[in-house]
Amino acid sequence: MARVGVFICWCGANIASTVDMEKVTEAAAKLPHVVYATNYKYMCSDPGQKTILDAALEHKLDGIVVAACSPRMHEPTFRAVAAEAGINPYRMQMANIREQCSWVHGDVDEATAKAVDAVRMMVARVAQSLALEPIKVPVTKRALVIGGGIAGIQAALDVADGGVETILVERTPSIGGKMAGLDETFPTLDCSQCILTPKMVDASRSELIKLYTYCEVEKVDGAVGNFKVTIRKKAKYVNTELCNGCGDCWHKCPYKKIPSEFDFGVGNRTAIYVPFPQAVPNIPVIDRETCVFFKTGKCRACEKFCLRGAIDFEQEDEFEEVEVGAIIVATGYDLLDHTQMGEFRYGAIPDVITGLQFERMSSASGPTEGKILRPSNGEEPKVVVFVHCVGSRDENYKEYCSKICCMYSAKHAVILKHRIHDAQAYLFYIDVRAGGKGYEEFWKRACVEEGAEYLRGRVSRVYDEGGKVIVEGQDTLSGEQVEVAADLVVLATAVVPAKGSEELARILGISTDKDGFFNEAHPKLRPVDTATGGIFLAGCCQAPKDIPESVAQGSAAASKTLGLLSKEDITREPTVAVVDPLICTGCWNCVNVCPFGAPEKSEITITVDGKKVTRAVSNINEAKCEGCGLCVATCPGNCIDQRGFSDDQVYAEIGGYLERVRAAKNSD
Amino acid sequence: MIRLNRTPKSSAAIARMEEHLGHPLSQCYQCGKCSAGCPAAYTMDEPPNRVIRFLQLGLYDRVLEQNSYWVCSSCETCTARCPRNVEVKEIMELLRHDAYRRGLTSGERAVFVFHKTFLKTVKWFGRLYEPGLIMLNNLLSGHFFKDFAAVPGMLLKGKLKLFPGRGADNAAVRRIFKYSREEAPRGEV
Amino acid sequence: MKFSYYPGCTLHSTAVEYDLSARAVCKTLGIELVDIPGWACCGATSAHSVNELLAYALPAHTITSATESAIAAPCAACYNRLRYTDVNLREDAHLRAEVEKALGRPYRAGVAVRHLLDIIANDVPADEIQAKLAGTLGGVKVVCYYGCLLTRPRDVAAFDDMEEPRAMDRLMELCGAEVLDWPRRVVCCGAAFSLSRTDVVYHMTGKILASALKAGADAVVVACPMCQSNLDLRQPAILKKLDLEGRIPAVYFTQLLGLCMGHSRNELGFGKIMVDTSPLIQKINSGRAETAAPAEG
Amino acid sequence: MATIREELQAAVKKLFDDDKIDYFVGYAEDYGHTFPAILTKDSDPSRLTFDRKSYDNLANFLPELRGSRVGLICKQCEVRTLNVLAAEEQVERDKLVVVGVPCPAMLDPRKLTEGAADLDSLDESYWQEKCRRCLERNTPLADVFVGERVSTPTPAEGWPLLEEVEKMSAEERLAWWRRQMSLCIRCYACRLACPLCYCHQCFVEDNKPQWIDKSVAPENNLHYHIIRAVHLAGRCIECQECSRVCPVGIPVDVLNNVLSRDFAERFGYVSGETAETQPALTRYERDDKEDFIL
Amino acid sequence: MTKAEKQKEPEKAPQWKPNIVGFLCNWCSYAGADLAGTSRIPYPCDVRIIRVPCSGRVDPLMILRAFREGADGVLVSGCHPGDCHYIEGNYYARRKFIALKKLLDHVGIDPRRFRVSWVSASEGRKWANVVEAVTRELLEVGPFRYEEDGDD
């Protein structure tokens, strides 16, 4: 028999005015396991707590029931009291007789009966409650950042700044991300590369940051504090130890007309290439898909001209396993493909480009050296139409606002005016969302000082006629249909999660929203965490963001990471699932349903009928288990139980209540 | 359908207007607060913000065809409340100046005539002579006996003088009128 | 205190009671008013409507003709035009040159243009006014109507709040009136269309009258002859059109102030108001008697 | 039938001779009965047979033989079972040799009279119910096929007994099931015959806590059968072995059929359709239809 | 009827009250029930609440156990689909309950005896309404007995 003490709280008049304290105390005292029952005006007060402490010692209690407010209110308080009294905190249970009883029921008899039942149920539960100890998991003091754009770079720099080794994985040949390709940045018009490249260099020089460019995360095992990550190092066909980035190879590569991914097709690259001149690391890779040697077996021009003999056609993808304690995901964004949209003629008009293509053109280090030109004939455009919300705020494509387009379109209009003084910009918009520091002022500058003409309304259709791009739209402010004969049309297409993020979500075991952006743990209070411990988010992979926001979140994720990795070990609630391996059949239902990947397939060897048998069984990774109990309820063989919410406890609660009902029924 | 071309602000009138206002018309971001508070908007062809919108799109002549600026009462509610400090009342007045010069009434002949009459009496007497204004106005507008019902009472109470008052510096006033109409670049009555 | 006095055209005709009461009150308060020799019409509302230069030159003539360093203007429209002119001529040298050509003499910058309400409410200390009061308004209920041009725009007519002016309210409270809150203190009455688009006046003034009646006021207190004329002269016709009962006199703040200072109704030109003011006077008198009685008993 | 028997024996002998399998699971005949038999290399294959009384679902033996190379006679029933077991990783397909047979439709022992002479010629009225719904009689997964392929008649629709029960009112159904359950002696033959009841310890034997009372009160029995049906939800492949083996004749499979039919209608779900078909209760759609949640 | 019996009658038939077991998930419904309390929204007092981490923790065994122990009704309440604290526990729970519901209906147990609801932490009012509705229905259905003639 357990030795349970029941402590009933008046909560002043909050409970005592509706629930008969004496009756509940009297009933509690008669219950099995109960050796002491009392009531007090404010159990949570100092004297109230002292009452519990004294009684615990005097009556040698090994379990406590506090009948008071909701456990969501004071469970931590009374668990601490239990601990002080030398009773395991998990053998303290609260009967909720305030929020779910006295405050909602007016009849004293009914409320008192319900309170007695609540106490009965909790006493039965405490009697079945095991003593639990918090789980401690040691922490690997190393971080992984996935994605080498500005958010990832910032996160890596900040984590390294905190003295923690950081692995930065980037799938393209250089870090820098989208920001490396931008021209001037709103609202201050400072040059993107001028502010980014120093950070890229810092990242490459830091002793604590290991750059893994041209690499991808292949597999992630383990849990918070101890992830095992397999990284695929894609074959570069260049020996990075020997290469000094002299550039002879790509200058000699005969195949020069490959549309550059970095330039979004505005410029070309060779088959062996660095994506842009300021690339970090400044080491080329051979693109197997377009290299003539890999296609025909002939060429090897790069190899011939490389004086250091760095070209290595025999390279293969390699895999490396690293151990990290935390992961920051910063995989960024792509633009929605407007060539799937009929109103823009499915991309058939060369003079209809995207915002990022415009950036590459206007960038001084870009393929046109900063000249804004019509792709169709290479002439300077004089009339340029910018279209906001292409695919954004459109239920046929993406319902959400892509957030950055208003500002970058305004910036484009300003840049256009700066580069081509007699050019006129027209901007079709629905709202101008300029909610950042200096953003509204910048927008005003674009339309008042730089003469950008804003037309409130959507573009209905674009077509080419007589060498012009005719843009048909509506100016809802005047109520008039308008038409512009443009030389160039720039589409602010919707920001979408980077290609492959859904696959990465699966690998990491984190969830995505309906649009494929990674989900934060709480939209307001935990915007940097994911629901999976130890995995944090930064930048556009979570939602569209501009540079300052991406940097801020990168730093925030870094600070979360440092906080986590500053501990020797992590303490977790012990209310996790446990498998009985002797009866587990390895049907993997638990593995299938667990949202956190906590049940893992493992084996045990046991002796059955004198023979050693190896069986496949499930094993719960306590570091991953969040304690939802889904596997427990799913296991058909009742092989899994949950500590702190065990079958025994629930069974006891049901019985504690219905025993009385059955007795009453039988006496009829 | 408006066909927007490279220089929508090519209209000289609009360029002059912007120079006069001291700010470009694009200063207006079409929030509509001017129209929201305008006591005369109810009788305008287009409310003030629309007038500005048409001007932004270069449709100066279309604006002149509408009555909005004639029925503006110059109460300045718009200008006073504009969050972007657009000189809305000023825009209306500039439109009136131009229309007056061109003799465009846009369906508001009575208003047009009133201003003409008013200035005539001021020009003649140096000060406003109300009975004269009423009579002349009615004569020119064709409403011969309008508002005369009130006149006997007003006369009884000594509110209307039968003869124009004296004392104004008539010579100075005539000089002002002459100069404003004939020589001044900003005048042209 | 000495001011050049610019009554404007209306105070010499339709608003003669404003002129009478303004002079009487100023005298009591020791404000000396000096007539401006050869003053001319300010041009409102037509000059600025149709000819910009005229709109500046006419007020400039009057300002330049003033003999004192400050002008007191009782009419809100005149005040507005004069201030506009002064502000713009000081800021715009080119415009000033044009105007001076029209005037044929240099513009006299530096003359302060003040509205009479501004002077009485802000220059004369409240206790000084209080000292001159011989009686009260006996708790009569009034709404204060400032009209559109008295406080607008912000940087031209800067003596009171643009949307919620209180100068007149304070004066009336000082006089012992119950000043009611109402939403139309700065709404335009449509004076510019008094003769040309009477329907517009009916619409705009009608809203003001209806609002004042709804507030339960015994009188509308005004500081502009244009407003008064619209509210007063056209009131019977407007209320008939709106199908509203009752009459509400529109009186000048100077008239009520003068009444409390002991000037006679005749002196203040109460008889010149078209809407019968005797019920108002009666209320004031009975209110005075009520407040006085307990003090005696 | 004689030919299939010889072909089968030859095929099994070859599998053992070629060292492809450690065990062979099939049917043997003795004393005029057909019963399951597990053969090793040393066993005599001449008793192997396959006829219309080869009722048992042989996949039932697979979890036991996990880890060994097994040859197995597969009717359509076993094929679907294999898929479910494969999805639940209870069998390793690469260690399995599926011996396909043309299924002639199994007879319902309760409909057979003593000494019926020619079993081969008995018509539909003697068949087991499940055989009327058979989708494919020629073992689609077969690695080795013995005998001659047969044509599959158009599958019958409907669940005769289930529909009959459903015609009753709620009170009548409760009474009917109570009567059925009062017969149950908790011998667990249903569980034993079921190829998908492979738990090392059944929930009903779990006494920590004792969710379901051990005594044979009808409601305890009903709860046992309901939970068993829940555990088989989206897994039961309707072989009806549970009912066939029930010594007191409770049509246990009706409860399973309730869910088989409902899941097919509601989720478009067919258990054991492929080896990748996950158990229905271990997956979900965001818009799963239901009409009872407040 | 004797006089004594007549006098006894009102005492012997107190109004019958249903016994309802409620399994509430800790994050949404339990918090929602707390909110009904803090908002002082009254509702019938016949539900006894068992706190579970997630509606996905509720095993059909628990529901049948409650009936076996004499409950007249069982109510399971969790987070709305898409809002589960554990991301997707309630989706699995929903499927499980669809199966159980179907079976209970089939064997002739009144469908009103087993209810499921989605109540979020902000839906104190909804919780009160749910209890109200469930209680009202059970009052209509009456006490639950498997036994035909009271044997056990």
Side-chain angles (χ1 to χ4, degrees), chain A residues 25 65 108 115 147 165 231 237 254 271 277 304 389 404 413 435 439 451 542 576 586 588 612 633 636 666:
Chain A
T25 314
V65 169
V108 173
E165 188 185 330
I231 298 171
Y237 306 108
K304 273 176 229 142
C389 298
I404 58 174
Y439 288 11
Q542 182 235 349
V576 294
W588 312 136
K612 286 223 179 240
N666 289 340

Side-chain angles (χ1 to χ4, degrees), chain A residues 512 582-589 592-593 601 615-616 634-638 647-648 650-651 654 662, chain D residues 66 87-90 198-203 206-211 213 231 235 278-279 281-283 286:
Chain A
T512 61
L582 293 180
I583 50 175
C584 174
T585 51
C587 70
W588 312 136
N589 277 357
N592 287 337
V593 297
K601 297 178 182 181
R615 278 188 190 163
T634 305
C635 177
N638 291 8
D647 279 356
D648 278 334
V650 177
Y651 184 93
I654 299 173
R662 259 172 121 180
Chain D
R66 202 167 165 182
E88 296 171 7
E89 293 187 24
Q90 298 300 310
Y198 54 75
C199 286
H200 295 312
Q201 178 195 282
C202 180
F203 64 90
D206 181 12
N207 59 2
K208 207 181 167 314
Q210 184 83 50
W211 288 112
D213 296 341
H231 286 179
R235 300 172 67 236
Q278 244 192 56
L281 291 187
T282 68
R283 28 177 246 182
R286 278 168 197 274

